[in-house]
Amino acid sequence: MPEKYYQVGKIVNTHGIRGEVRVIATTDFTDSRFKKGVQLAVEMPNGLVDVKVAAMRQHKQFYLLQFEGMGNINDVEQFKGHNLKIAASQREDDLEDDEFYYGDIIGLEVVEEADGTSYGKVSEIIDPGPNDVWVIKRRGRSDLLLPFLKSVVKKIDIEAGKAYVEVPEGLIDNED
């Protein structure tokens, strides 16, 4: 059975002419995921392309990565717009009981704890600073931005694929 891979970022563009790529991280563990020597994979239409991080630096909200043996813009141009992944066997960060990988949260159905109302599914996680914000895709409505706080997210059940929440009054618009 092939090994499972998890998304850790998206290559959104190249940077300069020396083979750097701009990455928007989708992981909490950027220091360990993007450090020199880490083996990653770029998800291309014809399969995964293995790359090894040669250098990493932060630039504004992006991470600039350079891969070993790819020191020219022409080497990395093909990766633009593609996801950056890590093998499951390389996820070595120990998590506490109440901590989760982004990949475990994305796709969960978000349900009101009190009455079981489904709000939609987590489509992405934004990290604006002090706490994460879940983007909930809702059918026929605008996305719901839900802060990941203990007072809001009451329980996460990965096996059931659900997150139980108590949405604060005024957070949801009254669209019908």
Side-chain angles (χ1 to χ4, degrees):
M1 186 163 109
E3 185 167 14
K4 185 171 178 146
Y5 282 78
Y6 294 96
Q7 184 172 336
V8 293
K10 182 174 181 114
I11 299 173
V12 293
N13 209 343
T14 56
H15 183 82
I17 61 169
R18 293 196 170 94
E20 285 184 306
V21 292
R22 283 185 190 208
V23 175
I24 293 179
T26 56
T27 177
D28 275 344
F29 307 104
T30 52
D31 290 341
S32 62
R33 298 290 185 250
F34 300 147
K35 74 180 177 188
K36 182 178 180 176
V38 170
Q39 188 74 36
L40 299 172
V42 181
E43 186 178 39
M44 301 294 285
N46 57 346
L48 295 173
V49 175
D50 290 330
V51 294
K52 188 179 248 185
V53 178
M56 181 273 283
R57 62 189 176 105
Q58 195 165 357
H59 178 70
K60 299 181 182 175
Q61 77 269 26
F62 300 103
Y63 290 87
L64 301 179
L65 302 183
Q66 191 168 31
F67 303 125
E68 287 184 6
M70 299 181 185
N72 186 298
I73 188 173
N74 297 323
D75 298 329
V76 296
E77 185 80 33
Q78 63 181 331
F79 298 149
K80 249 189 342 188
H82 295 283
N83 292 327
L84 201 54
K85 298 194 164 215
I86 193 165
S89 60
Q90 290 183 265
R91 289 197 334 178
E92 40 189 67
D93 303 289
D94 292 329
L95 299 179
E96 300 293 325
D97 289 339
D98 61 345
E99 293 181 323
F100 303 90
Y101 291 110
Y102 281 9
D104 294 337
I105 299 297
I106 294 172
L108 289 182
E109 181 183 4
V110 178
V111 177
E112 179 64 46
E113 184 180 50
D115 62 10
T117 301
S118 176
Y119 292 112
K121 292 190 176 205
V122 180
S123 64
E124 67 178 297
I125 299 172
I126 302 169
D127 182 8
N131 55 274
D132 293 340
V133 175
W134 293 0
V135 178
I136 314 300
K137 287 282 183 206
R138 301 188 297 169
R139 200 177 297 221
R141 302 172 105 181
S142 60
D143 292 346
L144 170 62
L145 301 178
L146 196 65
F148 183 68
L149 301 169
K150 288 185 182 200
S151 62
V152 176
V153 180
K154 299 300 187 178
K155 178 182 172 194
I156 296 174
D157 187 342
I158 299 294
E159 285 76 34
K162 294 186 180 190
Y164 298 92
V165 300
E166 183 179 312
V167 177
E169 190 174 324
L171 190 63
I172 297 181
D173 50 16
N174 290 326
E175 303 170 10
D176 285 321

